[in-house]
Amino acid sequence: MKIALNEIWNFLKMVNTKEQGWSYALCAGEVKVDALSTETMLALKDDDQYDTELLPSIFTFREILWQPDVFTEASMSIPSLRILQAFCEETCVELEEKGGTVNNIYIPLIKGVGVCCGKAMKSLEKDKADVKKILGDLRTCVFPIIKFFIYHPKNRQDYFQDAQNRLNYAVKIMLTQFYGRYTELEDPFWKVSFKKTKPKKDVESKPEEQ
């Protein structure tokens, strides 16, 4: 079943979280994080180690993702994309070194932002690159990933509000100036499945042959 990003926490309150067989998958655009257990989901909700500076680092402070008037030429856009891509790669290395099931959710998402940046840079390096179209595609690409981090349950309220305002602004500009279409914007969501596990039967011991 498909469950909206924030509705998953209400869902977890309703189900028997100790029951085996539940499986969760996060779908954020082109990024999929599969085979998450109930324990991992609860750890995500209560992740006290979550770095609240991550959201401004990958979105709020990155004007390339929401500012329409500054980045009008490829030569002005590529350096910002290269810096963001490098930050994503470095952050993923740090999270991999720390380990942990919750970090295994963040890593592919952050890598996804880096991949979107890489695609945009390749397109901008071509002759007669359509900067507006390319940046519009970039923002469409990162939209579901950024939205996940904006609505992270451990986010700071001021960071949440600031990032949400900038995302709304980016969407408005993208639709009016960057050839975007609202139907192209994908909200992240959870795919929940349940497979009932059969209890293991006790193996009867056979008498030893004489």
Side-chain angles (χ1 to χ4, degrees):
M1 75 182 80
K2 178 179 176 180
I3 298 180
L5 186 67
N6 288 336
E7 290 300 318
I8 193 67
W9 314 122
N10 292 328
F11 176 82
L12 288 172
K13 291 179 181 178
M14 294 187 296
V15 300
N16 180 3
T17 54
K18 294 182 180 180
E19 186 176 19
Q20 299 299 312
W22 289 105
S23 180
Y24 307 82
L26 174 63
C27 303
E30 297 180 1
V31 179
K32 305 289 189 297
V33 187
D34 297 315
L36 301 174
S37 66
T38 301
E39 291 76 14
T40 299
M41 296 297 295
L42 294 174
L44 172 64
K45 183 177 183 294
D46 298 321
D47 184 14
D48 292 329
Q49 301 301 313
Y50 176 67
D51 183 5
T52 56
E53 297 302 318
L54 188 56
L55 175 60
S57 296
I58 64 173
F59 177 65
T60 314
F61 297 156
R62 308 296 179 179
E63 292 187 339
I64 187 71
L65 297 182
W66 55 266
Q67 176 59 261
D69 299 325
V70 177
F71 304 95
T72 57
E73 299 178 6
S75 59
M76 299 171 64
S77 304
I78 291 175
S80 294
L81 290 171
R82 186 174 290 119
I83 292 171
L84 178 54
Q85 184 185 48
F87 173 82
C88 291
E89 292 172 352
E90 293 169 4
T91 302
C92 287
V93 170
E94 293 174 1
L95 293 174
E96 287 169 354
E97 291 175 349
K98 290 180 181 178
T101 57
V102 177
N103 284 339
N104 288 335
I105 299 175
Y106 305 144
I107 290 169
L109 293 169
I110 298 170
K111 282 183 178 179
V113 174
V115 169
C116 293
C117 291
K119 289 180 179 178
M121 282 190 289
K122 286 183 179 180
S123 297
L124 288 169
E125 288 168 353
K126 296 178 181 178
D127 292 335
K128 298 181 180 179
D130 188 338
V131 178
K132 282 192 172 184
K133 176 66 167 60
I134 294 167
L135 294 184
D137 290 344
L138 165 69
R139 292 163 185 178
T140 300
C141 184
V142 301
F143 176 84
I145 301 173
I146 297 303
K147 203 161 185 180
F148 169 85
F149 286 107
I150 289 177
Y151 288 96
H152 191 287
K154 287 294 183 177
N155 208 356
R156 281 177 46 170
Q157 183 60 32
D158 55 338
Y159 284 4
F160 161 79
Q161 194 63 58
D162 189 14
Q164 187 181 50
N165 291 340
R166 294 180 194 276
L167 185 66
N168 291 339
Y169 176 70
V171 170
K172 177 182 177 181
I173 296 300
M174 187 180 68
L175 297 179
T176 57
Q177 298 184 30
F178 286 75
Y179 313 118
R181 290 180 293 180
Y182 191 77
T183 53
E184 295 176 336
L185 298 176
E186 298 182 42
D187 283 327
F189 64 91
W190 299 97
K191 190 174 181 180
V192 182
S193 58
F194 179 76
K195 185 177 181 181
K196 193 169 184 179
T197 56
K198 295 181 179 179
K200 294 182 180 179
K201 295 181 178 179
D202 294 333
V203 180
E204 295 182 0
S205 59
K206 296 182 180 180
E208 297 181 0
E209 295 182 359
Q210 298 295 327

